[in-house]
Amino acid sequence: MCSPWQLPGMAAERLPATKGGLLAAAVLLAALALVQYRAAVTPYLQPVTDAVGWSGGGGGRSVAPDRSSPACKPHFQMALSDGNWTDSGSAIFSRLYFYHVRKAGGTNLRKYFQKVAAHHGLEFKAVEYDMAEDPGSSDVPTLYVTHLREPVSRSISHFKYEGRWDCKQLMNNVSFIPTEDNANKLESWNQSFGHRPTSCLYRKRNRTAVCRMSQCAVNCNIQWLAGCSCPWWDPPKHPEREGRPIRREVPIAQQHAVARAKLQRYNFIVVTEKLNDPEYVAAVERFFGVPGVNRRANHPWCEANSHYANEKIPLEIRNETIQRLTLLNEEDIRLYNEFASCLDGGEYDFPSFDLQQIQRCSPEIPSRQWRLQKFNDTT
């Protein structure tokens, strides 16, 4: 269910599918429309600037003072339900929460954080597809962790994984042979749910409409963090005369504000691209007190099959397609830069793990036993 402070929902701006000479005109029209749209909403959005001076568009829920990007200044303070933080050094965590962003190195990071939780005796919860948990909303003292990847490269990676050919076909249909003719086109990978618009999943058990995205091409980080625009419908103003609910949407700029405020309250944000830097890897492992964050021994379900198909039939990516995806992901790129650009200097001033801030929920599992231990991954 969407968090109570989330603004009522709107899907990202989308371009209609075009071909040939219409593509350039469509991109230009979309750019002009986006400029007009942003000019219209800018007066209603207040930028948020923290103590170290980085600022991003947004508004909505304010963030705590003296708190810079958790990607660059991770910490062991605990987010409270009233929007504040515990005093430095006073938080005692008993749970580790990991939000798994799809096609951003999350499979291996998820296994790593399972090991971190097991090693320190913490309860572990990982969430993928659904909306990210709001720090401070759990009754259990929680250390919140997630990760980010550059949005356009993440989107293309997602397309190659399961947007070009269906993973179920690649894995389960022995007679299916991937070809250029039966492949989906990257040019149609231009909507929130990849090849189709955002929709909400209705859960009968508690009668709620929630965001659950398995495939995504456009502004995915924002939608996963903010919960898309779910629920998607409002009751009719005059039920006795109007039987239909009212379709409502939230501008992506407002969803950006929700996502930004939520990310600002996480303890640590791993930037996927930085895992190639040994100094960054050492700093992350020092923070969590466990080695192996860049170990890539685990693979998503159909990765081997999709890699093989893409090697046999290489994907040709046109400059116009990159430009279009860049335009469509403008808000997601802005969010990524707001949180990750502070690492560009190559300085990783991360604190070291402090055992005094852990309340064990289970016995510590020594690192030598990790491969023998079946971890409890609560999803």
Side-chain angles (χ1 to χ4, degrees), residues 203-223:
R203 290 179 172 164
K204 294 182 179 179
R205 183 175 59 182
N206 51 8
R207 296 183 179 182
T208 58
V210 297
C211 172
R212 182 174 175 83
M213 294 198 307
S214 60
Q215 295 191 21
C216 183
V218 175
N219 290 323
C220 308
N221 291 314
I222 287 174
Q223 294 188 87

Side-chain angles (χ1 to χ4, degrees), residues 102-103 128-130 154-155 157-168 184-185 188-199 211-221 223-224 228 301-302:
R102 303 214 71 206
K103 300 313 297 173
E128 185 180 3
Y129 308 113
D130 294 346
R154 194 221 64 83
S155 180
S157 175
H158 203 162
F159 172 78
K160 293 173 70 176
Y161 175 69
E162 61 180 343
R164 197 177 185 196
W165 295 283
D166 187 349
C167 266
K168 292 181 180 179
N184 294 312
K185 306 307 178 187
S188 68
W189 183 255
N190 57 15
Q191 302 192 61
S192 299
F193 274 26
H195 297 293
R196 61 186 179 89
T198 301
S199 60
C211 172
R212 182 174 175 83
M213 294 198 307
S214 60
Q215 295 191 21
C216 183
V218 175
N219 290 323
C220 308
N221 291 314
Q223 294 188 87
W224 274 315
C228 307
W301 179 49
C302 74

Side-chain angles (χ1 to χ4, degrees), residues 32-70:
L32 291 173
L34 189 58
V35 169
Q36 293 173 349
Y37 166 75
R38 295 189 67 177
V41 302
T42 296
Y44 303 98
L45 300 176
Q46 299 178 354
V48 181
T49 306
D50 65 19
V52 297
W54 68 279
S55 171
R61 191 181 188 187
S62 61
V63 297
D66 300 323
R67 178 65 53 208
S68 60
S69 165

Side-chain angles (χ1 to χ4, degrees), residues 38 66 99 124 275 303 310 350 356 374:
R38 295 189 67 177
D66 300 323
Y99 187 72
F124 179 71
L275 291 174
E303 183 179 68
N310 280 287
F350 301 170
Q356 294 183 352
K374 182 177 180 180

Side-chain angles (χ1 to χ4, degrees), residues 174-367:
V174 294
S175 64
F176 179 76
I177 300 175
T179 66
E180 187 65 59
D181 291 337
N182 60 26
N184 294 312
K185 306 307 178 187
L186 182 59
E187 286 70 26
S188 68
W189 183 255
N190 57 15
Q191 302 192 61
S192 299
F193 274 26
H195 297 293
R196 61 186 179 89
T198 301
S199 60
C200 296
L201 176 67
Y202 182 75
R203 290 179 172 164
K204 294 182 179 179
R205 183 175 59 182
N206 51 8
R207 296 183 179 182
T208 58
V210 297
C211 172
R212 182 174 175 83
M213 294 198 307
S214 60
Q215 295 191 21
C216 183
V218 175
N219 290 323
C220 308
N221 291 314
I222 287 174
Q223 294 188 87
W224 274 315
L225 287 160
C228 307
S229 294
C230 303
W232 202 248
W233 306 97
D234 277 338
K237 293 182 180 179
H238 306 287
E240 66 281 0
R241 299 197 306 266
E242 305 171 2
R244 292 186 175 184
I246 301 170
R247 174 74 175 267
R248 62 180 171 87
E249 296 182 352
V250 168
I252 194 63
Q254 292 183 6
Q255 290 193 54
H256 174 279
V258 172
R260 185 184 188 279
K262 183 179 289 188
L263 271 184
Q264 191 75 0
R265 287 173 58 75
Y266 269 60
N267 295 93
F268 198 109
I269 301 172
V270 177
V271 177
T272 303
E273 289 83 0
K274 288 294 181 179
L275 291 174
N276 294 319
D277 182 345
E279 293 186 8
Y280 178 77
V281 168
V284 174
E285 293 175 350
R286 183 171 61 249
F287 181 89
F288 290 103
V290 174
V293 69
N294 64 339
R295 188 172 299 157
R296 299 174 183 176
N298 302 283
H299 304 281
W301 179 49
C302 74
E303 183 179 68
N305 292 44
S306 62
H307 277 191
Y308 179 80
N310 280 287
E311 286 177 0
K312 290 294 183 182
I313 309 169
L315 177 66
E316 296 183 5
I317 305 176
R318 298 184 298 176
N319 289 336
E320 306 93 278
T321 306
I322 294 293
Q323 292 170 3
R324 190 180 188 193
L325 278 174
T326 301
L327 177 63
L328 290 170
N329 282 282
E330 181 191 32
E331 288 293 333
D332 229 29
I333 292 169
R334 184 158 67 98
L335 183 77
Y336 173 83
N337 288 332
E338 285 170 349
F339 283 90
S341 61
C342 53
L343 291 172
D344 291 346
E347 297 182 3
Y348 314 120
D349 184 21
F350 301 170
S352 297
F353 187 82
D354 185 358
L355 286 173
Q356 294 183 352
Q357 295 192 263
I358 294 297
Q359 179 180 350
R360 298 189 186 281
C361 298
S362 60
E364 176 183 344
I365 299 175
S367 59

